[in-house]
Amino acid sequence: MERPRRLRSPLLRPLVAEVELSPRHLVLPLFVKAEGEREEIASMPGVHRHPLKDLPRLGEEALKAGLGGVILFGVLPEGEKDPLGQGAYAEEGVVQRAIRLLKGEFPELLVMADTCLCEYTSHGHCGVVREGPLGFYVDNDATLELLAKTALSQAQAGADVVAPSAMMDGQVRAIREALDRAGFSHVPILSYAVKYASAFYGPFRDAAASAPQFGDRSGYQMDPRAGLWDALREADLDDQEGADLLMVKPALPYLDVLAALKGRFAKPLFAYQVSGEYAMLKAAALKGYLDERRAVLETLYAIRRGGAQGILTYYALEAARWLQEG
C-alpha cells in the first residue's frame, strides 16, 4: 500500500522539502513622501507613507532582517502634480532624494525604483493623455521619452535597479537605450512585464494617491480574461528589448501565468504580492478569521513554488521575522 505519510514525519519533512523561502527572497515596497510625519494607510493597516527622515531607520531594519532589498514609490501632494508627471524625473524628486539618502547610508542595501508616472500626474494615468474621437487615450510613444528620463534620473541618483511599470509598448527598449547612452549600462531593468488591469490595486492607489481621475487603465494594462498567449508575448517582448528580470503582477491570482513563464526565459522571475492581496490577508487576520502568520507564509511559499525567485510584498519585514523565528 502506498503511504505518502511516510515522508511527512517531523524529521524527514525538512529533508524532502523542495520550496525554500528566506528573507533574501523578499523585497519591501516603501511609499515615500518629502516631509511631515508617518501616516498609516487606512486600507492597508500596518503600512505607512514615510517621510524621508524615516528612511535611515527603515534601511537599517531591511538590512537587519536580511531582505533582498526595497523598492521605492513616490507620494506627492495634489498641488505638486501636473499632466506630464514632472515629479517622476525631477533631479530633486522625492524618489531621487530617497535613493541618494538610502544609498549614502547603506551602500550594501539593494534599492529599486518603480519607474512610472501615475503617482506624479494630475490625471493619475501612467503616461501622456490625449483626446481622441472616442475620448481620452494614453499616447504610448510620447510616454516612452518621459519613462526613459525617469529611469535615467533614478540611475543617476544611485538606484541599483529600475523597474518600469507603466505597460507602455517599447518601454524597456527606450529605457535600456537611454541608460546605455548615458553610461549606465550596468543598471539592470526589472520589467513589470506581465501586469494585469486588476481590482487588487485599489489600496495602492489609496496609498500613492494615484487613482485615475477619469477612465481606467485597461487600455494599456493586460486583460485578466486574455489567454496565456498574451502573457507570453508581453514577457517575450520585454525579454528581447533588454529586461534583466521579469515580473508578474498581481501574484496569487496569476500563479498559473507565473508557472507557465518559469523555464521559458533564461532570466529571473519576480512576482508582486500587491496591495489588495495584503489587505485581504490583513483584514481576515484582524477579524480573527485566519492565522496571519501561517496564511501569509503559505501564500509566499505558493508564489515561490509557482516560480518566483523574488517576491515584492508588504509583509516582507514581518515574514522575515517569522522565518527567523522558525
Side-chain angles (χ1 to χ4, degrees), residues 106-129:
F106 309 104
E108 68 275 35
L109 176 67
L110 182 79
V111 176
M112 302 180 177
D114 178 74
T115 306
C116 196
L117 303 178
C118 62
E119 297 126 78
Y120 311 94
T121 55
S122 50
H123 45 71
H125 281 281
C126 300
V128 179
V129 169

Side-chain angles (χ1 to χ4, degrees), residues 66-249:
L67 297 187
V70 300
I71 184 166
L72 303 177
F73 298 88
V75 181
L76 288 188
E78 284 302 318
E80 295 182 21
K81 300 183 181 187
D82 64 85
L84 297 180
Q86 294 180 72
Y89 41 89
E91 184 178 348
E92 289 301 313
V94 64
V95 163
Q96 287 77 4
R97 292 169 64 190
I99 294 167
R100 287 195 291 268
L101 194 161
L102 282 172
K103 293 305 295 183
E105 293 222 19
F106 309 104
E108 68 275 35
L109 176 67
L110 182 79
V111 176
M112 302 180 177
D114 178 74
T115 306
C116 196
L117 303 178
C118 62
E119 297 126 78
Y120 311 94
T121 55
S122 50
H123 45 71
H125 281 281
C126 300
V128 179
V129 169
R130 311 282 194 206
E131 282 294 329
L134 300 178
F136 88 97
Y137 69 97
V138 173
D139 188 328
N140 189 97
D141 293 357
T143 301
L144 296 183
E145 180 183 349
L146 301 185
L147 292 173
K149 286 177 65 175
T150 301
L152 181 55
S153 73
Q154 294 166 343
Q156 289 169 333
D160 297 298
V161 179
V162 296
S165 60
M167 287 302 286
M168 296 295 123
D169 296 337
Q171 64 182 13
V172 172
R173 177 180 288 112
I175 289 170
R176 184 74 273 158
E177 289 175 353
L179 292 176
D180 291 354
R181 280 195 306 270
F184 292 95
S185 57
H186 60 285
V187 174
I189 297 173
L190 165 60
S191 170
Y192 289 63
V194 181
K195 179 180 177 181
Y196 289 88
S198 173
F200 290 94
Y201 302 151
F204 175 96
R205 292 172 182 175
D206 228 2
S210 63
Q213 299 301 300
F214 49 83
D216 58 34
R217 295 175 181 152
S218 59
Y220 43 101
Q221 295 178 355
M222 294 166 60
D223 187 347
R225 301 168 300 177
L228 184 59
W229 60 268
D230 198 19
L232 292 174
R233 180 173 65 168
E234 288 281 6
D236 186 55
L237 286 169
D238 284 6
D239 181 37
Q240 292 180 44
E241 290 179 15
D244 300 281
L245 312 106
L246 303 171
M247 186 153 65
V248 174
K249 179 184 179 184

